[in-house]
């Protein structure tokens, strides 16, 4: 039980209160004891002086009667000794502690010397010399602990105990208020560990740290839920992309083994098998590429090179595509230097330009613009193709997402190309944007820092 946070909070509170009271009493004793004793001595001296001076002003009234009737003497236990050592008691004689007075102390006061003994406040003794009608007396005053003082002390003690009890009850209630949300979040964490991410804490009324923790917990559950959905989609997509070519390869292989066919049919089936095998190879290569880009150990080798020349090389490499479709190319590639990983950016331009060429109908146009600036470089790749809907644009860079699955099947796409492009651009601390309307073409805009000199590679996120 003591291991629970609730029990520890209560025990810590009690320990803190008790320790605080003890420390307070000790500090008060150390700081105020001397001052209080000095004040007590001064007050008792004034009382003794008043008693004697007032008596001297009377008309030889009997000293015993005088002392018995003086109200000023009531708060004190007073003992008066004559030269023979006889003792007379006055004031409050029902004291609990009577401090013993030695003959030496009596003799000292009889000689006219004052005496002060401050062993503690309630038993402090003031010895005061008195002259009455030519005779020497020794008067000793001791503060009397009367019933009212004891009642006051008892009242203070009871008040402290009540404060401790009420405070303990309060901290027990407050502790539940603090610990209960933590218990709920603990149960929620166990549900999340089992794969249940449908968790939410609507604690907007709480503006404290626990409220912030609950809000963060809810956001974390939402993010984990989205990641789990993405993981399931990823597994489903990978399975689908792999299963499709495998089914084709297995089916046509079976036909080749069991069916008598012409050489033309055989060659056609073999071409299909080869195409699907190459598709599987590309899928595997892209998956490995994406996994490598998302790891912390992907090689990054930036150099300073001519970006305009790299773009021209990619366009030349894709000549079979745009030449076969009789596409018009509009190129504006001024001289521009960039500090980046040339191999990675070459893959970016290859993917974007190839996509534009694939999805632009015959006789269409593909535009490539290079826009250098002082601290950044923009590359815009546009086409007059079929375009992308606004809904698809929001997800176009997700892995395996295809805006038109039937169309992409014909083009042998896997839905990984733009995801790889986005990751490479992110690694270069750049941005990529898409602007498109169905039937009016698409424009991809890549913005990269130009880096005037060699710098460290950007952080991999």
């Amino acid at each position: 039980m003591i291991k629970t946070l609730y029990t520890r909070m209560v025990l810590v509170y009690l320990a803190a209160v008790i320790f605080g009271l003890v420390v307070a009493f000790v500090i008060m004793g150390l700081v105020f004891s001397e001052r209080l004793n000095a004040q007590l001595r001064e007050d008792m001296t004034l009382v003794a002086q008043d008693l004697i001076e007032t008596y001297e002003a009377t008309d030889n009234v009997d000293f015993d009667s005088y002392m018995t009737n003086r109200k000023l003497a009531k708060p004190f236990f007073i003992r008066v000794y004559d030269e023979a050592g006889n003792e007379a008691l006055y004031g409050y004689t029902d004291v609990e502690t009577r401090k013993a007075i030695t003959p030496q102390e009596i003799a000292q006061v009889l000689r006219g010397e004052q005496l002060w003994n401050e062993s503690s406040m309630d038993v402090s003794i003031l010895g005061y010399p008195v002259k009455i009608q030519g005779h020497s007396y020794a008067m000793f005053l001791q503060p009397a602990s009367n019933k009212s003082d004891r009642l006051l002390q008892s009242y203070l003690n009871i008040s402290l105990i009540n404060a401790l009890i009420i405070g303990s009850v309060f901290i027990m209630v407050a502790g539940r208020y603090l610990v209960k949300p933590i218990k709920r979040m603990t149960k929620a964490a166990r549900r999340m560990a089992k794969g249940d991410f449908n968790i939410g804490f609507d604690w907007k009324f709480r503006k404290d740290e626990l409220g912030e923790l609950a809000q963060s917990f809810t956001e974390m559950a939402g993010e984990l839920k989205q990641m789990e959905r993405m993981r399931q989609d990823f597994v489903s997509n990978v399975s689908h992309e792999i299963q499709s070519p495998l089914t084709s390869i297995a089916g046509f292989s079976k036909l080749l083994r069991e069916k008598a066919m012409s050489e033309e049919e055989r060659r056609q089936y073999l071409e299909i098998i080869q195409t699907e095998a190459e598709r599987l190879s590309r899928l595997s290569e892209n998956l490995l590429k994406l996994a490598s880009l998302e790891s912390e150990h992907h090689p990054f080798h930036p150099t300073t090179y001519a970006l305009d020349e790299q773009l021209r090389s990619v366009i030349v490499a894709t000549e079979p595509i745009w030449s076969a479709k009789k596409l018009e190319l509009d190129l504006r590639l001024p001289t521009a230097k960039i500090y980046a990983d040339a191999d990675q950016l070459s893959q970016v331009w290859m993917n974007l330009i190839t996509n534009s060429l694939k999805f632009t109908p015959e006789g269409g146009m593909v535009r490539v613009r290079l826009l250098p600036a002082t601290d950044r470089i923009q590359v815009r790749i546009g086409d007059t193709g079929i375009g992308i809907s606004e809904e698809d644009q929001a997800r176009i860079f997700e892995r395996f997402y295809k805006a038109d699955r039937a169309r992409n099947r014909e083009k042998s796409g896997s839905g990984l190309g733009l995801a790889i492009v986005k990751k490479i651009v992110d690694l270069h601390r750049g941005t990529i944007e898409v602007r498109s309307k169905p039937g009016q073409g698409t424009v991809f805009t890549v913005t990269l820092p130009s880096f005037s000199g060699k710098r460290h590679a950007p952080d991999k996120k």
Side-chain angles (χ1 to χ4, degrees):
M1 186 64 178
I2 198 170
K3 293 183 179 179
T4 64
L5 178 62
Y6 176 71
T7 305
R8 290 182 181 181
M9 288 178 61
V10 174
L11 292 178
V12 167
Y13 168 78
L14 293 176
V17 171
I18 294 172
F19 178 76
L21 291 175
V22 172
V23 171
F25 280 119
V26 170
I27 293 176
M28 286 182 64
L30 293 175
V31 174
F32 297 105
S33 177
E34 184 176 350
R35 186 180 301 176
L36 291 174
N37 280 322
Q39 185 63 45
L40 179 62
R41 179 177 182 178
E42 181 180 348
D43 293 342
M44 291 173 66
T45 302
L46 291 174
V47 170
Q49 290 176 349
D50 184 84
L51 287 173
I52 300 307
E53 291 175 359
T54 303
Y55 173 75
E56 291 174 348
T58 61
D59 229 1
N60 293 326
V61 176
D62 181 61
F63 184 75
D64 187 68
S65 299
Y66 169 78
M67 290 296 295
T68 301
N69 295 320
R70 279 300 304 270
K71 292 183 179 180
L72 187 62
K74 299 299 182 183
F76 299 93
F77 172 48
I78 301 175
R79 284 169 282 184
V80 179
Y81 297 90
D82 59 16
E83 295 172 340
N86 298 317
E87 180 186 63
L89 305 180
Y90 305 100
Y92 185 80
T93 58
D94 191 21
V95 292
E96 295 178 355
T97 304
R98 292 192 179 191
K99 182 173 176 59
I101 299 175
T102 64
Q104 291 80 5
E105 292 174 332
I106 295 174
Q108 178 182 346
V109 177
L110 287 173
R111 289 196 301 270
E113 301 176 13
Q114 286 192 19
L115 180 143
W116 176 252
N117 190 326
E118 54 180 28
S119 57
S120 63
M121 287 184 62
D122 58 341
V123 291
S124 298
I125 297 293
L126 172 68
Y128 193 83
V130 179
K131 285 284 187 179
I132 302 176
Q133 297 178 354
H135 296 283
S136 296
Y137 294 87
M139 178 186 293
F140 291 89
L141 286 80
Q142 175 184 332
S145 180
N146 53 31
K147 293 181 180 180
S148 62
D149 293 335
R150 290 196 296 272
L151 286 173
L152 179 60
Q153 186 175 3
S154 299
Y155 175 77
L156 291 175
N157 292 335
I158 293 173
S159 298
L160 290 175
I161 293 173
N162 287 335
L164 186 61
I165 294 173
I166 294 172
S168 301
V169 173
F170 174 77
I171 197 63
M172 290 173 69
V173 175
R176 288 187 180 277
Y177 174 75
L178 294 173
V179 173
K180 187 176 180 180
I182 298 177
K183 288 184 176 180
R184 288 185 59 186
M185 284 187 280
T186 301
K187 292 179 180 178
R190 290 174 182 157
R191 288 171 53 192
M192 291 170 59
K194 295 179 180 179
D196 182 7
F197 302 109
N198 296 315
I199 294 168
F201 298 101
D202 189 14
W203 293 350
K204 295 180 180 179
F205 63 93
R206 295 198 69 134
K207 303 300 182 182
D208 56 3
E209 289 79 1
L210 279 176
E212 294 179 1
L213 178 61
Q215 181 65 26
S216 300
F217 205 90
T218 301
E219 293 174 359
M220 179 183 67
E223 292 291 332
L224 290 174
K225 183 177 180 180
Q226 183 177 359
M227 289 178 63
E228 176 63 15
R229 189 184 302 113
M230 291 175 62
R231 184 191 68 81
Q232 293 175 357
D233 291 344
F234 179 77
V235 172
S236 175
N237 288 327
V238 170
S239 301
H240 177 74
E241 293 294 334
I242 291 176
Q243 186 61 36
S244 229
L246 285 178
T247 301
S248 297
I249 292 173
F252 286 108
S253 298
K254 186 176 181 180
L255 287 175
L256 286 172
R257 185 178 60 185
E258 297 179 356
K259 181 181 178 182
M261 62 187 71
S262 65
E263 182 65 23
E264 184 179 352
E265 285 182 317
R266 188 181 66 83
R267 192 175 289 119
Q268 181 182 359
Y269 292 165
L270 287 174
E271 287 179 358
I272 293 174
I273 291 174
Q274 182 180 356
T275 301
E276 294 300 321
E278 290 174 352
R279 184 174 158 205
L280 273 176
S281 178
R282 288 195 302 272
L283 175 63
S284 175
E285 182 182 352
N286 285 335
L287 283 172
L288 290 174
K289 180 74 173 179
L290 192 58
S292 178
L293 287 170
E294 291 179 344
S295 73
E296 297 181 355
H297 306 290
H298 183 74
F300 188 87
H301 304 295
T303 57
T304 301
Y305 66 93
L307 181 58
D308 56 303
E309 294 181 5
Q310 184 182 51
L311 289 168
R312 289 190 182 92
S313 298
V314 172
I315 292 168
V316 170
T318 58
E319 181 181 1
I321 303 175
W322 52 263
S323 177
K325 297 177 71 173
K326 299 178 181 179
L327 300 178
E328 181 182 352
L329 298 182
D330 182 6
L331 308 179
R332 295 185 186 179
L333 304 174
T335 302
K337 297 284 186 180
I338 191 171
Y339 181 69
D341 189 310
D343 291 337
Q344 290 185 16
L345 286 189
S346 177
Q347 186 169 4
V348 170
W349 315 132
M350 181 63 73
N351 283 342
L352 293 178
I353 292 174
T354 300
N355 280 348
S356 292
L357 295 174
K358 279 183 180 181
F359 302 124
T360 300
E362 290 191 12
M365 177 181 289
V366 173
R367 300 181 181 87
V368 182
R369 300 281 190 271
L370 178 57
L371 307 171
T374 304
D375 58 345
R376 61 183 175 82
I377 294 178
Q378 273 192 354
V379 177
R380 294 179 185 172
I381 300 173
D383 58 59
T384 58
I386 59 177
I388 306 170
S389 69
E390 186 174 349
E391 179 183 357
D392 291 329
Q393 289 178 42
R395 302 186 58 191
I396 199 69
F397 297 108
E398 294 180 13
R399 290 173 290 188
F400 292 106
Y401 186 79
K402 299 177 183 178
D404 184 341
R405 294 189 176 273
R407 181 200 71 190
N408 278 303
R409 181 70 62 194
E410 292 178 4
K411 304 297 182 180
S412 301
S414 64
L416 291 175
L418 289 179
I420 293 174
V421 167
K422 179 70 164 60
K423 191 61 186 177
I424 293 175
V425 172
D426 288 343
L427 288 175
H428 284 78
R429 295 184 179 177
T431 60
I432 181 169
E433 300 174 353
V434 58
R435 189 178 75 253
S436 179
K437 288 185 179 181
Q440 298 184 21
T442 303
V443 177
F444 284 94
T445 302
V446 178
T447 304
L448 298 169
S450 58
F451 298 108
S452 58
K454 293 187 177 182
R455 302 183 183 179
H456 294 294
D459 297 333
K460 299 175 180 62
K461 297 181 181 178

